[in-house]
Each structure stands twice: as C-alpha cells, then as structure tokens.
Amino acid sequence: MSMTDVIFESESLSLELGFLELDPNDHRSTRWSVRLSIKHSTGCFSYLATDVWFDTDVWDEFTTGLSSQEPKILRLVDMSENFRFVIERTATCFETTIQVHEPIISQGAIRLETHLRSDLDGPLLRSLGDAFAACPKFWYVMSCHCESPPE
C-alpha cells in the first residue's frame, strides 16, 4: 500500500484503489488498480482489475461531493464505464451501488452489482470520505511539471 491508495472497508465490503500511473499524453487520465471484495453469507465475491482509467475531473467531483451534506448523487465511473461507484444521498440515508462489468476474453461478459443502504449517522460515509481525502491529488503537481512553459 502506498499513500496514493484509497482503502475502504466496511462489514460487507472492501474496496482498494491503487494509483498506477498518469497518462503522459493526457494529464487528466489516471490509471488505477481496483480490488473489490463483497462478503455474503457463504463466502465472498472478488474483483480485481489493473487497467482502470479515471478522468481526474470525475475523481475530484466525487471526492469533493463526499464531504457535502446536501442530498445528491455522487458518481465515480471509469472512462470505459466498466466500473461504477454511485452514492445517492437522501435526507435520511444513503444508498451505495457498485457495478463492475468486464468482457470475457473468449466471449460474453461478467457483471457484478451490489447495493448497500446505511443511515447518514453511521460511520460508513465518513470512513469512505476519509479514505478518499487521504489520497493526495498529486496529478495537479505532475501535470504542472509536464506541460511546456509558456512562450
């Protein structure tokens, strides 16, 4: 684990996002690994992807929205739309939906979806917000150093 990882665990869910690289040609594209584990009554479902690209604007909007107390829908969706993390905050609770969709190399696809519902008073949303807040937005610094100086 590094300081660029987002690690979140709840009673039934474990989510790890690990930064891998910034696209040298597009400083708004970041590549991440995603590890997801969803516990159920007889075991767990696991998902691992190592080539998930997020637009930094989408990441920043999601992270900023986690600290808001207003009712709203937050979305962290990768650029290929194969990974979706959606939080709908209402006046009394929040609902989380995580969807992953991956084509299978030979044919077909795998789809995994989970829904969690929790009271706003619970520590779950605060814990998630803390996990994302702990991940530095280093792409701002990296993109500043990679651009050509003005003429």
Side-chain angles (χ1 to χ4, degrees):
M1 314 283 173
S2 74
M3 63 184 265
T4 58
D5 291 345
V6 173
I7 301 167
F8 171 73
E9 292 192 35
S10 71
E11 186 177 314
S12 60
L13 174 74
S14 173
L15 175 65
E16 294 180 23
L17 301 168
F19 174 77
L20 298 173
E21 71 176 301
L22 179 71
D23 186 332
N25 299 313
D26 180 0
H27 301 295
R28 293 182 325 141
S29 299
T30 55
R31 182 173 155 234
W32 296 78
S33 65
V34 176
R35 181 181 306 267
L36 175 66
S37 179
I38 303 165
K39 297 174 187 159
H40 57 80
S41 62
T42 61
C44 74
F45 291 108
S46 295
Y47 170 78
L48 172 64
T50 57
D51 193 29
V52 179
W53 290 85
F54 291 106
D55 182 300
T56 57
D57 292 340
V58 172
W59 182 279
D60 292 344
E61 185 177 329
F62 181 81
T63 302
T64 301
L66 286 172
S67 62
S68 171
Q69 298 302 316
E70 300 172 19
K72 62 170 55 179
I73 298 176
L74 307 173
R75 290 180 179 86
L76 181 63
V77 180
D78 77 313
M79 296 169 94
S80 66
E81 299 186 0
N82 287 339
F83 177 82
R84 296 175 171 273
F85 188 23
V86 179
I87 298 173
E88 183 172 0
R89 184 193 307 258
T90 68
T92 59
C93 70
F94 69 93
E95 293 188 25
T96 303
T97 302
I98 299 174
Q99 298 172 321
V100 294
H101 176 263
E102 289 292 338
I104 298 174
I105 293 173
S106 58
Q107 64 180 340
I110 296 173
R111 181 176 304 266
L112 176 64
E113 185 171 335
T114 185
H115 298 277
L116 302 171
R117 183 180 173 102
S118 178
D119 293 334
L120 283 177
D121 296 341
L124 193 61
L125 191 60
R126 277 191 306 278
S127 177
L128 181 62
D130 291 347
F132 274 86
C135 181
K137 295 181 181 180
F138 54 88
W139 45 85
Y140 290 124
V141 175
M142 294 174 93
S143 65
C144 291
H145 293 293
C146 297
E147 295 175 3
S148 302
E151 295 181 21

